[in-house]
Amino acid sequence: MKLFFLFAKRLVCLVLLVSFISSCQPYKPPLTVAAAPWPNYEFLFLAKQLNYLNPEQFSLFELPSSTSVTQAFQTGKLDVAFLSLDEVLTLVALGIDLKIISVIDQSVGGDSLLAKPEIKKLQDLKWRSIGYENKAAGALLLDEMMSLSGLNNQTIQLYEVKQNEVKDAYMQGNIDALIVREPQKQQLLELGAVELLNSSILEQRITHLIVTREDSFYSKEEQITELLKRFYKAQEYYKENPKDALTTMSVRLQVYPYLLEKSFSGTLFIEPRDALMRLSGSPSNIELQASQLSKFMTAKNMLGKIPSNFNSLISTRILERVIYE
C-alpha cells in the first residue's frame, strides 16, 4: 500500500511537471492568410470547411477585393496572400519584402469585358462608358479592346469600379460595359450581359500566385508548408468529389453550383509539379512573365521603380517540401 501511494504521488508530480512545461511553451500565433473572390482561391476556404486546417494554427480571411488583400499584406496584417502577378509587382515596387512560393493558375477567359445586351460588338462602345479596376488585367483587356476596335481614350469614358462593386454597377445601369472577373462574370451573364472579349486571347496571361512575407517565410515555414499541402488536398477533393465540393463552396459564396462550375472553366489550374517547373530555372517562366508585365505596367504609369532581377523574389523550397515530403 505504501508503495502504491508513493507511485501515485510520483505520477501526479510527473503530470504536473508535464503540464507546467507545456504551459511554458512559447505561443505561436496562427498563420494569417487572405484572398479575394476567385475560383481557384476557393480551395483555401474549402480546406477550412473540410476541417483540413486547424483553426488554432490558421486564420483565413476572404476580403472583398484584391485591393483589400494587397493593402492588408502591405501593412503587415497577413503572412500569406493569394494575388495576381501584377499585384505582387505593385507590392515589390512599394518596397515590400516577399517570396513567391507557388503558381495557382492562369486566367483563360475568367477575366472579361461584358456589356449591356444592346451592345453587340466592340465598335458599339464608341462614346460609351466602361468601368474597370485599375489593375493589369483591366489594362490588358482595355488595350486589346482598343487594338481590335480602333477606339481610344477620346472615344470612350473610363470609370474606376472595383470588383466587389461590379454587380451593383451593372444593375444600376449607369455604366455601359464592365471588365469583370469570375465568379462575378457568371452572375452578370445570368443577368443578360454580353461578353465582348475575354482573357483567353491575351498574349500576356493573367497569372495568380501564392506569396508570403519574407520574415514569415523564414519564421513560419512549417505552417506555410502545411497550408499549401492542405490547399492542394482540397483541390484534389474537388476533382474527386466535384458535386459535393461545388455545393459546399457555392453555399459559402452564395452562388448557384452550376455557375461556380462554369467559373472554373475560365481558369487553368496549375498542378504543384507544374508550378515548381514555372518557378525553377534561370530565368524561370515567372521571371520572364514578371519582366514583360512590369514593362507594360511601367508604360501605363501603373508601377513605380522596380528591380530588373526577379530571381530573389522566388523560392521553390516550400513547394518542393509539399511535393516530395
Side-chain angles (χ1 to χ4, degrees), residues 112-122 124-125 170 176-178 180 185 188-197:
S112 296
L113 174 62
L114 304 184
K116 292 179 178 179
E118 64 268 21
I119 298 173
K120 305 298 183 184
K121 57 185 186 298
L122 292 175
D124 294 340
L125 290 171
Y170 182 82
D176 299 302
L178 291 154
V180 304
K185 171 184 170 178
L188 266 60
L189 289 174
E190 283 287 293
L191 293 170
V194 175
E195 184 176 64
L196 301 178
L197 192 69

Side-chain angles (χ1 to χ4, degrees), residues 87-220:
E87 291 157 354
V88 174
L89 293 175
T90 299
L91 287 167
V92 172
L94 291 171
I96 306 301
D97 294 323
L98 55 80
K99 292 289 185 185
I100 299 169
I101 57 174
S102 192
V103 185
I104 301 173
D105 67 17
Q106 289 185 328
S107 176
V108 290
D111 296 82
S112 296
L113 174 62
L114 304 184
K116 292 179 178 179
E118 64 268 21
I119 298 173
K120 305 298 183 184
K121 57 185 186 298
L122 292 175
Q123 287 76 12
D124 294 340
L125 290 171
K126 189 173 183 179
W127 312 125
R128 302 269 194 161
S129 57
I130 300 176
Y132 79 112
E133 193 165 11
N134 190 27
K135 293 182 178 291
L140 286 166
L141 283 169
L142 278 177
D143 253 30
E144 193 70 19
M145 181 273 293
M146 291 178 186
S147 175
L148 293 172
S149 66
L151 301 176
N152 54 49
N153 289 334
Q154 281 71 49
T155 54
I156 57 173
Q157 294 175 302
L158 297 175
Y159 294 93
E160 176 89 14
V161 179
K162 294 191 180 344
Q163 283 303 306
N164 57 311
E165 301 169 348
V166 293
K167 186 176 179 181
D168 288 340
Y170 182 82
M171 295 288 288
Q172 290 166 6
N174 298 324
I175 293 186
D176 299 302
L178 291 154
I179 290 178
V180 304
R181 58 187 281 180
E182 298 286 12
Q184 292 93 338
K185 171 184 170 178
Q186 295 302 326
Q187 294 176 317
L188 266 60
L189 289 174
E190 283 287 293
L191 293 170
V194 175
E195 184 176 64
L196 301 178
L197 192 69
N198 68 49
S199 54
S200 66
I201 68 169
L202 294 178
E203 183 179 346
Q204 290 192 58
R205 291 297 187 195
I206 299 164
T207 302
H208 299 98
L209 310 166
I210 303 176
V211 299
T212 175
R213 295 185 69 85
E214 191 169 55
D215 54 352
S216 302
F217 175 81
Y218 292 110
S219 63
K220 299 183 177 183

Side-chain angles (χ1 to χ4, degrees), residues 40 43 46 52 230-240 269 271:
N40 290 316
F43 300 128
L46 179 61
Y52 291 169
R230 300 307 179 181
F231 170 77
Y232 287 117
K233 184 178 178 181
Q235 201 273 336
E236 285 295 319
Y237 180 88
Y238 167 71
K239 288 195 294 186
E240 294 167 4
F269 188 81
E271 299 292 341

